[in-house]
Amino acid sequence: MWRSSWGVVVLSTSIAVSPSCCRPITVSYYSTSRLVSHPPDLLKWVRREGGFVHPSIKIADVPSYGLGLVASHDIPQGSDLIALPPHLPLRFDESNGASSSVLTDLALRIPEELWAMKLGLKLLQERAKTSSFWWPYISNLPETYSVPIFFDGTNIQKLQYAPIVNQVNKRCRFLLDFKHQVEEAVANLEKEDHPFGGQDIDSSALGWAMAAVSSRAFRLYGDKHSENIHEYVLMLLPLIDMCNHSFNPNAKIFQGQHNAENAKMLVKVVAENDIKRDDPLELNYGNMNNDLFLLDYGFVMVPNPYDQIELRYHPSLLEAANVTVGINSPCFSSPTSWQSEFLSALKLDDQDSWASPNLKVTLGGPDLVDGRILAASRILNASHLKTVSESELPTLQSLSAEAPFGISNELAALRTIIGLCMLILQNFPTNITEDAALLKEGVSGISEELAIRFRMEKKSVIVNVMREMSNRVKLLQQRANESAVSA
Ligand SMILES: *[C@@H]1O[C@H](CO)[C@@H](O)[C@H](O)[C@H]1NC(C)=O
Ligand SMILES: *[C@@H]1O[C@H](CO)[C@@H](O)[C@H](O)[C@H]1NC(C)=O
Ligand SMILES: *[C@@H]1O[C@H](CO)[C@@H](O)[C@H](O)[C@H]1NC(C)=O
Ligand SMILES: CC(=O)N[C@H]1CO[C@H](CO)[C@@H](O)[C@@H]1O
């Protein structure tokens, strides 16, 4: 039953917020505190190593914003802001000596979607070294991250959204399991072969490293000399990774300028606009939904035009939506054979397999309504075999195709979607008004605040879809009335 996809599943795998792989650290909730209290000057280090940093850039501690790069004077559009030579980024190198063959073995056991852990192992190795080349970089990394693997069980529940809760639990289970694999792999190693200098690596340390990488790493093309020139390589880019995200960024990152002047630099960041004094430098991390922003980066974007609600298609879903808005339509659960054919062409007929990825549909985002769910609503409300061919499926899936089966069918289809939205909203334990009141009353910490903002944005996405569909219903009704008058 589709409702179960909303049930909040919580395993008690919350991980203590106490990364502790090598140096003693005090725990604090704000990302402004770094691994050590007086880390080396990162700007100086980058310049000394042959990198370029625009003279009007400083590292600033902005309250409620975090630690970032800020312009200390106006910077004109087009200026180079930061450039890094190839030896500064930290990457997972498969071929650097015997001690890392343990790391290479471990890396092979990490599932593809948890890519951040692989480079995370390298980061932990460098963090444990007393004289790491990257120590000036690593010591400046935040000591804690606000990604949900560090939320306690109650705050995970407060996300109120099963798809992200499942992802968080999956990551937590992985970390607990991977910790054992790491322990086994290093158990009988001599100190000089030990990839972490003989130190214990627990799940918190692994979580810290995974979060440090997922929130900061960039994917660059493989370097010229490697065989994998077309493959992406994940790298940590010192300093550049202190630029925060914006959908309207003032800076942009470039790789591999092969002209003579820049040949010795691997990447550079350039000002896209004029940057005013005290403005933070921002890059666009990607047009992503809030699930990814929260899981990988530890923040949510409000508003986020790319945020979506994910659900599983089931005939009873549309049926329930129909009941909610009280419209009269044929039985969604027993489609006629021609309707079934269309559902099958839309890959929405796989009802035996609950887990089938084909049944995943979305509401919200730039398309507002998943084309397949729109087409299904249109098809299931049509009374008899229509003269539609498969080549018309794209039209049926398009919101901008106006009433492909006629106005009354379109009204029913749109109302079904509105009903679906109402059902989704009812399934959340709280509404937006209550969430806003909770935020106003004051929350226990950054985790609870993020959980509430996350679920509020999900609800606004649905409210927005409802508003858009209602506007379309109104317009269609007007049109229907006008043609009735003129007939
Ligand atoms: C980055 O930007 C997001 C979205 O504006 C904000 O919520 C977050 O606090 C910022 N993070 C830092 C470290 O500045
Ligand atoms: C749709 O709703 C109407 C009125 O509420 C009801 O009579 C009808 O059986 C419903 N159809 C389905 C398929 O549930
Ligand atoms: C939200 O829930 C409260 C309490 O259940 C209710 O009084 C209020 O009308 C609801 N607000 C909206 C916008 O639905
Ligand atoms: C076949 C069928 O039930 N069509 C219905 C689609 O929705 C409109 C509007 O509610 C009804 O009038 C049709 O009967």
Side-chain angles (χ1 to χ4, degrees):
M1 185 54 203
W2 70 278
R3 268 162 198 267
S4 60
S5 80
W6 293 97
V8 173
V9 189
V10 178
L11 301 177
S12 53
T13 49
S14 60
I15 288 169
V17 194
S18 56
S20 54
C21 79
C22 38
R23 292 155 218 260
I25 293 163
T26 50
V27 173
S28 109
Y29 268 105
Y30 286 95
S31 53
T32 50
S33 67
R34 293 174 264 182
L35 275 193
V36 295
S37 47
H38 298 288
D41 184 331
L42 196 54
L43 295 173
K44 262 192 200 152
W45 178 69
V46 168
R47 287 185 179 125
R48 198 176 61 225
E49 287 297 328
F52 168 79
V53 187
H54 193 285
S56 303
I57 291 177
K58 61 176 185 188
I59 294 176
D61 225 14
V62 190
S64 87
Y65 180 86
L67 204 58
L69 297 179
V70 172
S72 54
H73 297 98
D74 293 357
I75 301 175
Q77 180 183 25
S79 310
D80 283 358
L81 300 172
I82 304 169
L84 301 181
H87 69 286
L88 279 194
L90 179 61
R91 62 191 105 182
F92 189 94
D93 188 349
E94 323 257 342
S95 57
N96 64 352
S99 74
S100 68
S101 72
V102 182
L103 284 200
T104 310
D105 279 355
L106 281 170
L108 287 174
R109 301 188 212 168
I110 300 170
E112 191 58 36
E113 75 265 26
L114 298 175
W115 46 266
M117 193 69 256
K118 188 172 159 187
L119 182 51
L121 288 175
K122 174 72 177 171
L123 179 61
L124 285 174
Q125 183 184 34
E126 293 299 327
R127 183 180 164 173
K129 265 188 207 164
T130 38
S131 59
S132 169
F133 167 73
W134 285 280
W135 181 245
Y137 167 64
I138 293 172
S139 58
N140 272 286
L141 288 176
E143 175 199 340
T144 59
Y145 289 92
S146 51
V147 294
I149 52 168
F150 294 113
F151 287 14
D152 64 26
T154 345
N155 287 328
I156 294 178
Q157 278 191 54
K158 286 180 184 162
L159 291 163
Q160 298 183 349
Y161 182 63
I164 196 168
V165 172
N166 294 339
Q167 285 303 318
V168 177
N169 287 330
K170 195 166 152 191
R171 289 182 183 202
C172 289
R173 275 195 304 267
F174 164 77
L175 287 174
L176 291 177
D177 176 62
F178 196 54
K179 172 191 104 122
H180 294 299
Q181 302 199 33
V182 173
E183 275 168 1
E184 256 170 55
V186 303
N188 298 313
L189 294 180
E190 296 297 325
K191 188 155 184 223
E192 60 269 26
D193 297 332
H194 195 290
F196 309 111
Q199 308 199 43
D200 280 343
I201 297 295
D202 60 12
S203 343
S204 308
L206 290 172
W208 174 84
M210 186 160 86
V213 173
S214 74
S215 64
R216 315 179 76 87
F218 290 78
R219 277 168 202 273
L220 301 186
Y221 284 115
D223 53 88
K224 279 197 293 207
H225 309 295
S226 106
E227 287 165 19
N228 304 332
I229 184 163
H230 297 299
E231 272 177 27
Y232 284 113
V233 179
L234 202 61
M235 294 181 200
L236 285 164
L237 303 180
L239 210 58
I240 294 181
D241 66 5
M242 295 181 85
C243 297
N244 203 0
H245 162 81
S246 165
F247 288 127
N248 301 302
N250 54 18
K252 197 169 176 178
I253 183 163
F254 293 91
Q255 179 184 8
Q257 301 288 308
H258 292 305
N259 61 47
E261 178 201 350
N262 288 309
K264 60 185 206 309
M265 298 297 183
L266 177 73
V267 281
K268 69 171 183 173
V269 174
V270 177
E272 278 267 278
N273 307 318
D274 290 337
I275 301 174
K276 294 263 159 299
R277 184 192 162 148
D278 294 333
D279 281 354
L281 305 192
E282 293 164 331
L283 294 166
N284 187 351
Y285 294 177
N287 296 335
M288 297 180 285
N289 63 26
N290 276 344
D291 304 33
L292 289 176
F293 277 122
L294 186 57
L295 281 168
D296 284 347
Y297 299 91
F299 60 79
V300 296
M301 292 301 289
V302 179
N304 182 349
Y306 304 95
D307 202 23
Q308 292 179 319
I309 284 263
E310 185 184 286
L311 42 137
R312 285 183 188 276
Y313 176 82
H314 193 278
S316 59
L317 182 75
L318 290 186
E319 201 164 305
N322 162 37
V323 173
T324 310
V325 287
I327 54 166
N328 212 1
S329 47
C331 199
F332 287 113
S333 327
S334 47
T336 63
S337 61
W338 74 268
Q339 288 172 331
S340 300
E341 262 171 51
F342 272 107
L343 291 183
S344 153
L346 291 166
K347 298 195 171 34
L348 289 176
D349 59 339
D350 200 2
Q351 295 305 334
D352 296 332
S353 159
W354 162 251
S356 165
N358 285 339
L359 298 180
K360 223 184 252 179
V361 290
T362 56
L363 289 175
D367 291 342
L368 290 178
V369 180
D370 193 307
R372 297 192 305 148
I373 207 159
L374 178 65
S377 314
R378 281 167 168 168
I379 287 163
L380 288 168
N381 178 258
S383 52
H384 45 77
L385 180 51
K386 303 281 170 176
T387 49
V388 268
S389 60
E390 252 185 54
S391 61
E392 283 170 278
L393 271 185
T395 313
L396 285 182
Q397 294 184 64
S398 158
L399 203 54
S400 49
E402 283 194 6
F405 282 160
I407 288 187
S408 78
N409 172 275
E410 190 70 356
L411 285 170
L414 293 177
R415 285 190 183 121
T416 303
I417 309 273
I418 294 173
L420 189 54
C421 292
M422 287 163 68
L423 278 179
I424 292 170
L425 287 177
Q426 283 162 16
N427 260 277
F428 281 103
T430 58
N431 65 30
I432 296 185
T433 319
E434 293 165 308
D435 292 341
L438 286 172
L439 281 181
K440 215 169 156 193
E441 276 166 28
V443 288
S444 60
I446 184 88
S447 308
E448 187 179 10
E449 181 179 336
L450 283 170
I452 296 177
R453 289 199 190 283
F454 176 86
R455 73 197 196 202
M456 278 177 85
E457 184 58 15
K458 290 287 175 212
K459 293 166 203 176
S460 339
V461 163
I462 295 302
V463 169
N464 181 47
V465 173
M466 278 173 80
R467 193 185 303 125
E468 293 291 325
M469 296 305 115
S470 306
N471 288 341
R472 276 160 200 269
V473 164
K474 270 184 219 135
L475 284 174
L476 277 176
Q477 270 171 339
Q478 260 172 25
R479 189 115 48 84
N481 291 341
E482 280 161 18
S483 58
V485 169
S486 65

